[in-house]
Amino acid sequence: EAQVTQNPRYLITVTGKKLTVTCSQNMNHEYMSWYRQDPGLGLRQIYYSMNVEVTDKGDVPEGYKVSRKEKRNFPLILESPSPNQTSLYFCASSPRGVGTYEQYFGPGTRLTVT
Amino acid sequence: DAKTTQPTSMDCAEGRAANLPCNHSTISGNEYVYWYRQIHSQGPQYIIHGLKNNETNEMASLIITEDRKSSTLILPHATLRDTAVYYCIVRVGGYNQGGKLIFGQGTELSVKP
């Protein structure tokens, strides 16, 4: 089944403890992206990647890192999480060409930082 | 990107067609209309997109008016699982702006038995 998977789905952690949220897609998509969704603020893009080894900042990159060493994986790294990073996180991927905005989302990761 | 206007909420009876309107009167010639939906706290789901011709896929139909100033998403036989917030987005196709999706308020569709 074609899909985007994220792990973990739920995570409660403490301030400053490094964590990684994994994202993997099995559709051979070149484009991948991370969003966070907060009440009243909608979806905000954190980072995106046009292809392997090519990443760029979205609107809210502070406090996050990403890497794209393989086409299928795009992990989101929080080196020193803080409470303002408590949010619902979504990974998305998209095939190349017209239709970049045709994106396929993972199920989400609900992160709580205390 | 052109601004879109959607009703805040709509109801639909199960088994009937759900017609969700979207106004985008300032759309330009190279902007596509995309529809997504989000069932409570799940990942947004791509539904369909079009430029000027009507489009149909296994999920829905998209009807775009001839002047392209408005469109309607049609779910032909709504089920309870179609209850969600539906977002109409107008974007230029391609890799502009890092492929960022911006969702507005959307329409909260409630499908009732």
Side-chain angles (χ1 to χ4, degrees), chain A residues 23-72:
Chain A
C23 173
S24 183
Q25 50 92 5
N26 62 2
M27 296 171 279
N28 203 36
H29 286 172
E30 294 194 1
Y31 174 93
M32 297 184 75
S33 180
W34 275 102
Y35 295 87
R36 60 178 288 175
Q37 187 173 38
D38 302 286
L41 296 176
L43 272 183
R44 292 182 291 169
Q45 190 183 54
I46 303 171
Y47 270 95
Y48 64 94
S49 169
M50 294 294 196
N51 211 328
V52 176
E53 303 293 358
V54 179
T55 64
D56 209 344
K57 297 177 181 178
D59 290 330
V60 289
E62 295 78 21
Y64 304 95
K65 285 175 60 177
V66 292
S67 69
R68 187 93 182 274
K69 297 191 173 94
E70 304 167 282
K71 196 171 189 177
R72 62 183 293 131

Side-chain angles (χ1 to χ4, degrees), chain A residues 12-30:
Chain A
I12 300 174
T13 190
V14 296
T15 299
K17 186 176 180 182
K18 180 180 179 180
L19 66 93
T20 299
V21 183
T22 65
C23 173
S24 183
Q25 50 92 5
N26 62 2
M27 296 171 279
N28 203 36
H29 286 172
E30 294 194 1

